[in-house]
Amino acid sequence: MQTIQDVIECCQQERGQYRRGIKPSPCCVELFRRAFDGNQDAWAGIERIFKPLMSKWIAGQNKVDVDDALQDAWISFFRAAPRQPSLVETDQLGSLLKYLQRCAKTSVLRLHRGKKINPDDIPVDEQVNLPVHLPDNETTIIQNEFQETLQERLDTLIQPGKEALVFELRFELGIKTQQIFDENQDLFEDYKEVAAIIQRLTRRLRKDPDLVELFHSRQNIGEMGLLQYSLDSSRLDENSLEGSVAQKKEQINMDEECVYSEVDILDYITNMASLDVVVGIEKSPACLFLANEMRNEMESLLAELYRRSCPSEEEIVSYQLKELSSPESLVMANHLKKCPACQEELRMVQAMERAAEEDENRPSVLRRIVAVLQPVQALPQPLRGKPLYYVAEQFHISLAIHRDVSHVHRWRLHGQVRTADRKKFDGLEEVTLLNPDSAATEIIEATNGSFLFTDLPRGQYQVSLYTPQVEIRIPAVGIGDER
């Protein structure tokens, strides 16, 4: 039976072969099997080999930090993947890679909505056996009961037709008043009609005693976050007057009235007001008082309403992957037509899909060129250690070898690739280091034309540097042979 280190090294070689068109990956699948069985060395190997690939996928979008999403995705994968035995039934990596992609996409959307899986500093071996992150049953039951009661009250307060439409668009989907009118001009006479409905709904919702009592009783359960549709409490706190409500009223010049409507105030506290409205409100103590009052009365309700009718992160991903049934897909398509937030999230996962497809469909190396050793030349930024200098067509490769300070019998290999005009070559994607004696291959990502291998034993190595078009090969580099 292969040792875990043998399996890891074999998987590294398979990943290099996979890029060159050889698809079966029995060693990599075996590595996942052992990880799913709780082998921590296998998990460490998977992380080392596949995290760079996931980073590429996640980097396809630009709304969520790559490192945050990568950490969240790995926690999700560690927790859920071992319960999917079908992922490792064959020697093909396809199912595993697609599941990794799903975890990455879902994590990106989860973070975009302001959520995050909390690892709670749990070791990986314990994380593997944890259930998927879900609230406990008691909390779920209470939340469902709360939502049912809330919906019953809203059904009573909101009239069907125009009111119901405006309520959904403004309070649930966070669409601006002008946009609601622009996209529904066949239903409304003018902008003022839409604004009047929003004002009517705002007054009704903020003063309804049943809603006030419902949210007051819910405080013992805990409030939901406001996600991206957050109330601007920091600005209000900085500009609001000191003291109690009564004291604040006394401090305000009673001859001054706020010239802005409740619709404007609502836009202000939900970060949807135009710049001129923001400036005007913040210049007026009377307007700031009204904004603070509205925020205190509606904060919990607005947080609960925002995007409550939106599909989950998992459903967005399933729609993008065309996994929903026809009726489900139709419902999703209709929702997407009117929801800017979900449209943006769909674009995010589509961008990640394109990044994955580009990596998957990238042609195998079209041609190979061999780098030739040359006399060492001075570099703009010389590398520390024993220098080696190679040229291959327009590519100039500088290597430096030096002992690893942490281990006297290990070495480090640092490299740079530059163009003929001595500029760093930013098209370098990947570098592999093969030790022919042990058949061990290490694969790393390149950053701005630079790369670094560490903890290398003495030996002769083959270095391969990959661009989208060529493999630049250095047939033999001696590590540890200096005297």
Side-chain angles (χ1 to χ4, degrees):
M1 182 179 181
Q2 288 180 300
T3 67
I4 189 62
Q5 189 58 41
D6 290 338
V7 176
I8 292 173
E9 292 176 355
C10 180
C11 179
Q12 289 175 322
Q13 292 182 54
E14 287 178 350
R15 293 306 299 156
Q17 294 169 350
Y18 187 87
R19 284 199 53 186
R20 284 168 283 287
I22 303 174
K23 299 301 184 182
S25 304
C27 291
C28 289
V29 175
E30 176 62 21
L31 187 61
F32 279 95
R33 289 193 189 104
R34 297 194 188 189
F36 291 179
D37 287 338
N39 187 304
Q40 296 313 299
D41 290 333
W43 277 119
I46 289 172
E47 182 173 354
R48 178 181 179 184
I49 296 170
F50 290 93
K51 258 193 172 182
L53 183 62
M54 291 186 72
S55 294
K56 284 185 180 179
W57 301 337
I58 295 171
Q61 55 79 44
N62 58 5
K63 302 293 184 180
V64 174
D65 180 78
V66 173
D67 290 338
D68 289 345
L70 186 60
Q71 180 186 23
D72 192 85
W74 273 104
I75 294 171
S76 178
F77 183 80
F78 287 152
R79 291 179 172 179
R83 296 173 184 77
Q84 309 290 331
S86 61
L87 296 176
V88 292
E89 285 181 346
T90 71
D91 287 341
Q92 301 290 340
L93 268 178
S95 296
L96 282 160
L97 293 179
K98 288 186 181 300
Y99 196 81
L100 280 170
Q101 289 177 26
R102 175 180 288 277
C103 289
K105 292 174 182 175
T106 304
S107 291
V108 164
L109 297 190
R110 183 163 48 238
L111 292 177
H112 189 248
R113 295 187 182 191
K115 307 174 186 178
K116 189 174 183 179
I117 288 182
N118 181 14
D120 294 326
D121 297 324
I122 300 171
V124 172
D125 57 341
E126 295 182 28
Q127 287 181 5
V128 172
N129 297 317
L130 286 174
V132 177
H133 187 69
L134 292 171
D136 60 82
N137 291 335
E138 182 179 357
T139 302
T140 303
I141 292 172
I142 294 174
Q143 174 66 8
N144 289 341
E145 291 176 349
F146 171 84
Q147 291 177 349
E148 290 175 3
T149 305
L150 173 62
Q151 186 59 53
E152 290 173 0
R153 189 57 192 158
L154 292 174
D155 290 341
T156 302
L157 292 173
I158 300 169
Q159 299 175 8
K162 291 183 179 180
E163 270 199 5
L165 175 63
V166 171
F167 173 80
E168 179 188 17
L169 297 179
R170 177 61 184 87
F171 292 91
E172 293 187 353
L173 301 184
I175 299 176
K176 293 182 179 181
T177 309
Q178 185 65 53
Q179 185 179 349
I180 294 175
F181 171 68
D182 291 342
E183 296 180 357
N184 298 277
Q185 294 189 30
D186 57 327
L187 298 177
F188 302 101
E189 292 185 8
D190 51 26
Y191 170 89
K192 292 181 179 179
E193 183 183 3
V194 179
I197 294 173
I198 293 175
Q199 179 172 281
R200 197 162 61 237
L201 288 170
T202 301
R203 292 177 178 177
R204 203 179 298 160
L205 293 171
R206 67 187 292 197
K207 299 300 183 182
D208 182 71
D210 290 334
L211 287 180
V212 172
E213 176 59 29
L214 178 63
F215 279 92
H216 177 74
S217 63
R218 192 191 183 214
Q219 289 178 355
N220 294 329
I221 304 173
E223 298 288 354
M224 294 177 64
L226 292 179
L227 309 176
Q228 295 180 353
Y229 184 72
S230 58
L231 303 188
D232 202 343
S233 57
S234 60
R235 182 187 292 139
L236 287 168
D237 291 341
E238 292 172 359
N239 291 280
S240 297
L241 301 173
E242 298 293 333
S244 66
V245 172
Q247 290 172 330
K248 289 177 182 177
K249 287 182 177 179
E250 290 178 2
Q251 294 177 53
I252 297 174
N253 183 351
M254 300 309 294
D255 293 332
E256 178 193 354
E257 291 186 1
C258 181
V259 299
Y260 294 97
S261 69
E262 288 177 83
V263 176
D264 295 324
I265 299 295
L266 178 65
D267 287 347
Y268 175 78
I269 69 171
T270 54
N271 290 327
M272 295 174 63
S274 62
L275 180 59
D276 60 330
V277 171
V278 170
V279 172
I281 289 176
E282 293 184 352
K283 285 183 177 180
S284 167
C287 290
L288 281 175
F289 173 80
L290 293 177
N292 195 52
E293 188 177 45
M294 183 182 289
R295 178 187 66 134
N296 291 335
E297 292 176 352
M298 299 193 71
E299 183 172 25
S300 298
L301 174 62
L302 292 173
E304 181 68 42
L305 293 178
Y306 180 60
R307 298 197 68 184
R308 70 180 188 132
S309 61
C310 288
S312 67
E313 303 93 325
E314 291 80 4
E315 289 170 327
I316 293 282
V317 173
S318 294
Y319 177 79
Q320 182 266 318
L321 294 173
K322 296 181 172 57
E323 295 176 350
L324 298 180
S325 66
S326 295
E328 292 171 333
S329 183
L330 181 60
V331 170
M332 179 74 77
N334 288 333
H335 176 83
L336 285 166
K337 289 178 182 178
K338 59 187 177 184
C339 182
C342 286
Q343 291 170 12
E344 180 181 36
E345 291 182 345
L346 180 61
R347 288 193 293 268
M348 291 168 64
V349 295
Q350 286 172 336
M352 293 175 64
E353 182 73 16
R354 287 193 295 272
E357 288 177 351
E358 288 172 4
D359 189 77
E360 175 72 18
N361 297 327
R362 182 176 52 192
S364 59
V365 176
L366 299 179
R367 62 192 182 92
R368 176 182 298 146
I369 55 178
V370 177
V372 179
L373 185 64
Q374 302 287 329
V376 175
Q377 294 187 8
L379 295 174
Q381 295 175 326
L383 302 176
R384 182 169 63 90
K386 174 187 175 182
L388 296 170
Y389 177 68
Y390 296 85
V391 173
E393 296 184 355
Q394 76 271 29
F395 302 104
H396 296 241
I397 304 103
S398 300
L399 303 180
I401 304 166
H402 55 92
R403 288 185 183 272
D404 196 318
V405 294
S406 62
H407 198 301
V408 294
H409 299 299
R410 289 291 188 271
W411 283 261
R412 298 162 70 91
L413 176 64
H414 187 189
Q416 287 181 358
V417 180
R418 295 178 180 270
T419 57
D421 57 2
R422 311 301 291 277
K423 294 181 180 179
K424 286 188 177 181
F425 176 65
D426 59 6
L428 186 64
E429 295 184 335
E430 188 176 275
V431 183
T432 66
L433 190 65
L434 170 66
N435 185 334
D437 293 334
S438 63
T441 302
E442 187 168 354
I443 304 172
I444 61 172
E445 301 265 336
T447 304
N448 193 25
S450 297
F451 56 92
L452 175 66
F453 291 94
T454 61
D455 196 31
L456 299 175
R458 186 191 306 273
Q460 291 288 319
Y461 290 83
Q462 173 184 290
V463 181
S464 294
L465 305 96
Y466 294 97
T467 78
Q469 291 78 33
V470 300
E471 173 194 355
I472 309 165
R473 176 169 292 185
I474 302 175
V477 176
I479 303 290
D481 60 358
E482 69 272 15
R483 294 291 183 265

